Amino acid sequence: MTRLLFGSSSKIWDDISWVFGIEEIGFDGWEICADGNYHFKDDAHIAAIREVLASTGLCASIHAPYSDLNLLTINDSIWRESIRQTCMCIEKGHEFVETVTFHPGYLSPTSELVPNRAWDMLKSAVELIGAAADEYGVTACLENMPNIPGFLCQRPEEVIGLTEGVDGMSYTIDLGHAHTAGLLPEFIPLFSGASHMHMHGNNGMHDDHLPVGEGNLPWVLVSSALPSYAHSRDVCIVVEGRNLKEAEQSYKVLRRWIV
């Protein structure tokens, strides 16, 4: 079964009442950006999330926090805290989600001098996060990154190299990110193995999070590949947008593509 979800990092400080608009549009679920008012460090945040999910009937996934965190750092304290906060989402969210997406991090001026060591730190982090996901019965999904200097996992072979063979681990394909890197066609063959997908548009230069169908992504290529992916197994397709008005626009486009 294909489920369409909506998530918005721009809403992390908003009152949770905005989530009711996701159901009103017709989405099946909400991707929780676990930061700001939705950070899992606060049990009151989790209680509010669970209450909204119960009252709406929405399913959910989690996007682990990434601001001020870095799984690629060679600073041991920050590295451990980044793993801890990602695993906290798994531990505290496993009863109401099936997937937790996370970012790999970025090379700092210090770690740029020892990139192999930074890669090893990231690989170890992926294995530890995968072990936690496996323990709690969820799937952790490593997300590909946009074309920003210092960001790893822009290329499909990096994503596969880090996740392949790791228990509890899969990957999220972010189409907008792939387009900024000029690699969207190279990610299409990876659709079959992706547990999660993020959908939004841009013009190839910046991670603008435009509505689905806007920007200069090769949308014909995407819309051709999407139905076979959507109907192959249980998958989540997440519209990552800026507001509910644009979310509705994206929803209508995706419903035309997935029949």
Side-chain angles (χ1 to χ4, degrees):
M1 179 181 68
T2 302
R3 290 167 291 179
L4 298 183
L5 287 72
F6 178 71
S8 180
S9 60
S10 66
K11 295 285 191 181
I12 60 171
W13 296 112
D14 287 11
D15 182 84
I16 200 169
S17 59
W18 76 271
V19 176
F20 291 100
I22 297 176
E23 182 187 39
E24 291 169 3
I25 290 169
F27 283 100
D28 303 304
W30 170 31
E31 177 151 284
I32 304 157
C33 187
D35 216 331
N37 288 339
Y38 310 101
H39 199 290
F40 277 47
K41 66 182 178 182
D42 192 329
D43 287 343
H45 293 170
I46 300 172
I49 289 168
R50 297 190 72 154
E51 182 178 349
V52 166
L53 293 177
S55 61
T56 59
L58 291 169
C59 67
S61 64
I62 295 172
H63 196 308
Y66 52 86
S67 295
D68 305 315
L69 301 176
N70 188 6
L71 295 173
L72 262 169
T73 184
I74 58 173
N75 182 313
D76 188 67
S77 297
I78 295 174
W79 182 75
R80 291 184 184 279
E81 179 61 18
S82 301
I83 294 170
R84 187 191 72 82
Q85 291 198 28
T86 304
C87 291
M88 178 172 61
C89 292
I90 293 169
E91 178 183 354
K92 293 189 175 184
H94 76 279
E95 292 182 350
F96 56 91
V97 305
E98 296 177 358
T99 58
V100 176
T101 291
F102 66 98
H103 284 189
Y106 52 90
L107 291 170
S108 68
T110 303
S111 57
E112 282 182 342
L113 301 174
V114 284
N116 290 340
R117 181 179 172 189
W119 176 268
D120 289 342
M121 296 292 281
L122 176 57
K123 182 65 175 176
S124 295
V126 167
E127 292 171 352
L128 290 168
I129 292 167
D134 191 50
E135 177 183 354
Y136 285 99
V138 303
T139 301
C141 297
L142 176 67
E143 182 178 352
N144 63 296
M145 291 290 97
N147 182 24
I148 297 176
F151 276 43
L152 265 64
C153 295
Q154 297 181 33
R155 304 190 62 83
E157 59 267 26
E158 292 178 307
V159 175
I160 295 301
L162 285 163
T163 59
E164 192 170 40
V166 179
D167 290 341
M169 187 64 58
S170 183
Y171 54 87
T172 294
I173 295 179
D174 188 302
L175 301 186
H177 289 177
H179 184 55
T180 66
L183 294 170
L184 182 51
E186 284 80 357
F187 273 95
I188 297 291
L190 271 63
F191 278 19
S192 60
S195 295
H196 218 61
M197 185 175 290
H198 286 165
M199 300 278 287
H200 49 91
N202 61 63
N203 290 303
M205 298 297 293
H206 304 289
D207 190 22
D208 300 310
H209 285 250
L210 301 176
V212 174
E214 291 193 4
N216 61 6
L217 274 77
W219 290 116
V220 172
L221 181 64
V222 172
S223 61
S224 298
L226 204 57
S228 60
Y229 168 72
H231 298 304
S232 62
R233 53 196 173 92
D234 289 346
V235 295
C236 286
I237 298 174
V238 182
V239 172
E240 287 194 322
R242 300 176 293 190
N243 54 63
L244 289 173
K245 181 179 180 180
E246 293 182 349
E248 185 171 14
Q249 181 180 337
S250 295
Y251 178 82
K252 291 176 179 178
V253 171
L254 281 173
R255 280 300 180 201
R256 289 200 304 268
W257 290 350
I258 303 170
V259 293

